[in-house]
Amino acid sequence: MPEVAVFRPDDGRLARAGDYLESRGVTPVLDPMLEVAPTGNAPRGDADYVVFTSKTGAELVADAGWTPGDARVCAIGESTRVALETEGFGVDVVPGEYSSTGLVNVLRDRVGGLRVEVARSDHGSDVLLDGLTEAGAYVHETVLYRLTRPGESGVSAARAAAGDLDAALFTSSLTVEHFLDAADERGCRAQAIEGLNRAVVGTIGEPTRKTAEERGIEVDVVPAEASFEALADAVLDDL
């Protein structure tokens, strides 16, 4: 069966991704490139809008007992919305385009002179902060968690370098960067990139595609929907 690398955090998402790939008749190469380290911080309580960019952030603030008060809650992405609602938070804004740019476009005419709290990881894009600031909002960022690379990661880089990967599924720019860091550690960066370029590579979103291509990785598939299942389906259809 084809071998497909997946880089999700090993917090349940990696196992679910592996199960999904197996259900599609391929062999998953499970190689977590992200590890979540909570900071213990919570969003400030005086904002007019609070923006969440991930399922992880939603779960962390719920565990901390945070409540939005009178703030309007914004979610980037369907999985973030579902996670917030599962934790009991009402969601007021979900952009049709699941990206920082999409949310900025939705909020641009609403946030002038208002306080906007952005609660996310330490690797968030400046696009969101800059766009909201340019729209006239008073923007504050709270880092809910840090994303690091697990020390044992890198089996996929070795398999790519050996020509044994048929496809790879990158879900963020950071997974691309951590994959290449792992390849560097093994002394096989150039070979790993060559191996990926002989495989089918998919990314979630244009920023991830741009990151990959700037580093020499040819991207074959970017699905219209920003979800792991859509990414896997698109890549496997191409494969």
Side-chain angles (χ1 to χ4, degrees):
M1 291 193 295
E3 295 196 2
V4 179
V6 58
F7 311 112
R8 310 219 77 187
D10 192 9
D11 58 2
R13 282 177 284 182
L14 185 67
R16 288 194 295 273
D19 290 344
Y20 187 77
L21 290 174
E22 287 181 346
S23 76
R24 288 293 315 269
V26 300
T27 300
V29 177
L30 304 181
D31 195 8
M33 289 291 171
L34 299 176
E35 190 168 66
V36 175
T39 62
N41 298 331
R44 62 191 299 169
D46 60 351
D48 299 292
Y49 286 84
V50 181
V51 177
F52 293 94
T53 64
S54 70
K55 172 180 180 289
T56 300
E59 293 169 346
L60 287 174
V61 296
D63 290 343
W66 175 84
T67 58
D70 294 329
R72 295 180 179 178
V73 175
C74 308
I76 296 180
E78 189 64 14
S79 62
T80 306
R81 180 193 65 79
V82 170
L84 286 164
E85 292 180 345
T86 299
E87 298 295 349
F89 300 118
V91 177
D92 303 287
V93 180
V94 182
E97 177 188 341
Y98 295 161
S99 68
S100 295
T101 299
L103 184 62
V104 169
N105 289 338
V106 170
L107 295 182
R108 190 182 305 279
D109 296 329
R110 307 186 193 183
V111 297
L114 300 181
R115 294 180 296 272
V116 179
E117 172 77 352
V118 178
R120 60 184 186 175
S121 80
D122 62 326
H123 282 82
S125 165
D126 289 337
V127 169
L128 183 57
L129 305 184
D130 292 346
L132 293 172
T133 299
E134 290 171 4
Y138 300 101
V139 182
H140 180 266
E141 179 185 31
T142 295
V143 174
L144 300 177
Y145 58 98
R146 304 190 187 281
L147 292 170
T148 61
R149 180 169 65 86
E152 69 277 10
S153 64
V155 62
S156 61
R159 295 191 71 75
D164 293 334
L165 274 188
D166 297 286
L169 309 176
F170 291 104
T171 51
S172 68
S173 290
L174 198 55
T175 57
V176 175
E177 293 166 1
H178 284 180
F179 173 91
L180 294 174
D181 288 345
D184 277 330
E185 284 186 357
R186 287 158 176 75
C188 64
R189 181 186 178 110
Q191 296 92 329
I193 292 174
E194 289 174 6
L196 287 180
N197 290 343
R198 290 191 295 269
V200 177
V201 174
T203 67
I204 286 183
E206 287 301 315
T208 307
R209 179 195 61 77
K210 182 179 178 182
T211 297
E213 292 185 343
E214 286 176 346
R215 288 153 179 79
I217 299 170
E218 298 168 5
V219 176
D220 304 288
V221 176
V222 182
E225 179 185 330
S227 71
F228 175 80
E229 290 78 11
L231 174 64
D233 287 345
V235 166
L236 296 182
D237 288 346
D238 189 280
L239 183 64

